[in-house]
Amino acid sequence: MTTAIEIRNVNKQFVLRHTRSMKEAFVWLMKGRKGDLSERFHALSDVSLTVEQGESVALLGFNGSGKSTLLKHMSGVMRPDSGSVRTRGRVAGLIEVGAGFHPDLSGRDNVYLNGAILGMDRDEIEAKFDSIVEFSEIGQFIDTEVKFYSSGMYLRLAFAVAVHTDPEVFLIDEILAVGDEPFQKKCIARIRELAAEGKTLVVVSHDLDMVAKICERGVLLDHGNVLMDGPVRDVIERLRSN
Ligand SMILES: Nc1ncnc2c1ncn2[C@@H]1O[C@H](COP(=O)(O)OP(=O)(O)OP(=O)(O)O)[C@@H](O)[C@H]1O
């Protein structure tokens, strides 16, 4: 088996900023700025995870457990404080709706921009352009500036570009939730096709029924720790029993 994603002993801390009173700040200054006015907390604590090529994995857990943070490390938009993240092949991340889109450019220009960001060259984008627009069902709005798009329209175009990049690894965060039902169904069907073609998928979603249909394996996160890793149905059962 070939490894698609290897996460080793990853730690990620964030700084929590608190609003302090003038008095607290004054005392802190008078004491020679000893200690820290901000607090740190672990969003990911020593997380290790290996995803083999062709696996479909759901990252599960309650709000704030670290799912999106872990996905962002896989996509490379976030770097760990310590530990390592390795991926093999082209990675397409649908992490924030419209991330990588430029608001003042038209849908058409953004297809070229986003396609290039995701690793396609101009000829490849040109060859796939009509198919991308057809999948997105954006139609006549393709020449409208995307700042006038609804969040669902953003998602449609972003998803359409991403699936046409023919990625080896496909990372999907909650975003499918903003699509309407027919489009969601179409996306899920396409994601299942990708899985059947042997692509590697990592999905973050609170829609447990949907996740159970798409993924075989589940990884349960809790306060930045991996609590359970196993067949998706078992992990969902554990999550629901909490
Ligand atoms: N850039 C950031 N700066 C500071 N804190 C952050 C940042 N990104 C995430 N966090 C914090 O890290 C924790 C984990 O966030 P994350 O978005 O990974 O959780 P999640 O499991 O995806 O949650 P949800 O189910 O609500 O989407 C949260 O407490 C969040 O507030």
Side-chain angles (χ1 to χ4, degrees):
M1 262 202 198
T2 316
T3 300
I5 305 169
E6 190 174 39
I7 311 273
R8 268 203 205 162
N9 309 103
V10 161
N11 285 288
K12 183 73 180 177
Q13 288 191 350
F14 289 118
V15 177
L16 284 179
R17 290 182 204 289
H18 294 297
T19 310
R20 301 286 178 180
S21 67
M22 288 291 284
K23 188 177 157 194
E24 276 175 301
F26 183 71
V27 170
W28 177 69
L29 274 173
M30 295 317 286
K31 283 185 172 169
R33 304 180 189 220
K34 280 205 192 94
D36 199 348
L37 267 187
S38 55
E39 233 177 87
R40 292 174 169 272
F41 87 106
H42 276 88
L44 295 175
S45 298
D46 201 28
V47 171
S48 294
L49 186 68
T50 304
V51 179
E52 302 296 343
Q53 228 164 39
E55 271 195 299
S56 49
V57 181
L59 298 182
L60 303 166
F62 294 124
N63 291 136
S65 53
K67 306 180 294 294
S68 300
T69 305
L70 185 54
L71 206 67
K72 283 178 184 164
H73 279 79
M74 292 176 180
S75 76
V77 300
M78 222 177 242
R79 300 215 175 275
D81 297 334
S82 61
S84 64
V85 178
R86 284 197 193 172
T87 54
R88 174 191 279 263
R90 194 186 264 182
V91 179
L94 271 170
I95 290 191
E96 277 164 63
V97 180
F101 274 17
H102 194 296
D104 291 326
L105 295 179
S106 66
R108 181 184 300 273
D109 291 340
N110 271 296
V111 168
Y112 281 90
L113 178 68
N114 208 232
I117 291 171
L118 291 174
M120 286 197 278
D121 62 28
R122 198 177 174 83
D123 288 348
E124 194 180 348
I125 303 170
E126 231 142 60
K128 291 176 176 172
F129 187 82
D130 290 345
S131 171
I132 291 172
V133 177
E134 196 191 316
F135 189 96
S136 73
E137 300 169 32
I138 290 288
Q140 63 197 26
F141 295 102
I142 193 65
D143 288 309
T144 301
E145 291 164 38
V146 301
K147 65 183 169 200
F148 299 121
Y149 280 16
S150 66
S151 51
M153 288 164 77
Y154 258 101
L155 163 73
R156 284 162 177 264
L157 201 56
F159 190 90
V161 175
V163 289
H164 282 81
T165 58
D166 195 23
E168 259 92 30
V169 179
F170 207 69
L171 310 173
I172 306 164
D173 205 341
E174 203 57 89
I175 60 165
L176 290 183
V178 298
D180 56 29
E181 207 180 6
F183 193 72
Q184 254 187 40
K185 281 197 173 140
K186 185 164 148 180
C187 291
I188 291 167
R190 185 72 191 107
I191 291 168
R192 294 181 81 167
E193 268 174 35
L194 288 168
E197 286 166 20
K199 306 289 185 191
T200 310
L201 302 177
V202 183
V203 179
V204 170
S205 178
H206 291 285
D207 185 342
L208 302 180
D209 295 329
M210 187 257 278
V211 150
K213 282 186 205 147
I214 298 175
C215 300
E216 288 159 2
R217 178 178 164 197
V219 173
L220 181 58
L221 288 172
D222 180 49
H223 294 94
N225 296 288
V226 176
L227 211 62
M228 185 178 173
D229 184 346
V232 74
R233 284 175 198 283
D234 297 351
V235 177
I236 289 174
E237 202 174 301
R238 166 91 176 262
L239 182 65
R240 283 189 166 141
S241 70
N242 271 341

